[in-house]
Amino acid sequence: MAESFTTREIDVRTGSRETVHDLTRECASFLRDAAAGRDGLLNVFAPHATMGVALLETGAGSDEDLLSALRDLLPPDDRWRHKHGSPGHGRDHVLPALVPPHATLPVVGGELALGTWQSVCLVDTNKDNADRKVRLSFVS
């Protein structure tokens, strides 16, 4: 049984276009309260059928490269059987099979143990839903 478990749901506005939204600061802020200097695990979960969580470098083009690769793999056109929403929205429902809606990350001394260039990001190709929720959970 876990010694300690803390969870919080946060609101995130991803906008009305495809985006990679960096959550690293929100994760660090949550851990300052929840981990209080302890080791454990942070789980980041997006409770949406059209969004994923990824670890990647941001700000140097990798975020746009990821969105470009996803457009190549999952074109926003009329091929999808899932038809509600804007044209091509069916691909948004396939996204979580490629970019899972969760990540579990090590926490050491109350801080995320990320690599030098790693950021915790939401990947959202759904232009129809700009307001999102993310569940952050810490266990030690």
Side-chain angles (χ1 to χ4, degrees):
M1 183 86 147
E3 182 179 306
S4 172
F5 177 80
T6 305
T7 189
R8 180 181 304 156
E9 188 174 76
I10 62 172
D11 296 315
V12 177
R13 182 153 182 83
T14 57
S16 59
R17 62 186 189 103
E18 298 175 341
T19 191
V20 173
H21 179 88
D22 192 338
L23 278 180
T24 309
R25 284 188 196 140
E26 289 93 332
C27 291
S29 176
F30 169 70
L31 288 172
R32 275 192 291 280
D33 296 334
R38 293 173 293 160
D39 295 348
L41 296 171
L42 173 68
N43 182 265
V44 181
F45 175 67
H48 297 280
T50 59
M51 191 164 59
V53 176
L55 294 180
L56 71 151
E57 178 181 10
T58 60
S62 298
D63 35 2
E64 284 302 318
D65 288 341
L66 174 59
L67 292 174
S68 179
L70 288 170
R71 278 190 295 277
D72 290 344
L73 290 170
L74 305 170
D77 58 23
D78 64 358
R79 73 183 68 203
W80 308 100
R81 290 181 183 94
H82 188 100
K83 296 289 186 192
H84 81 81
S86 61
H89 175 65
R91 75 164 186 145
D92 301 330
H93 287 275
V94 177
L95 173 76
L98 301 175
V99 182
H102 59 88
T104 301
L105 309 166
V107 175
V108 178
E111 296 183 7
L112 277 172
L114 296 174
T116 301
W117 302 111
Q118 288 181 313
S119 294
V120 181
C121 299
L122 293 178
V123 180
D124 191 0
T125 59
N126 183 353
K127 299 180 277 189
D128 296 337
N129 189 356
D131 297 311
R132 303 305 208 138
K133 304 277 186 200
V134 177
R135 167 110 9 228
L136 302 176
S137 301
F138 174 73
V139 64
S140 68

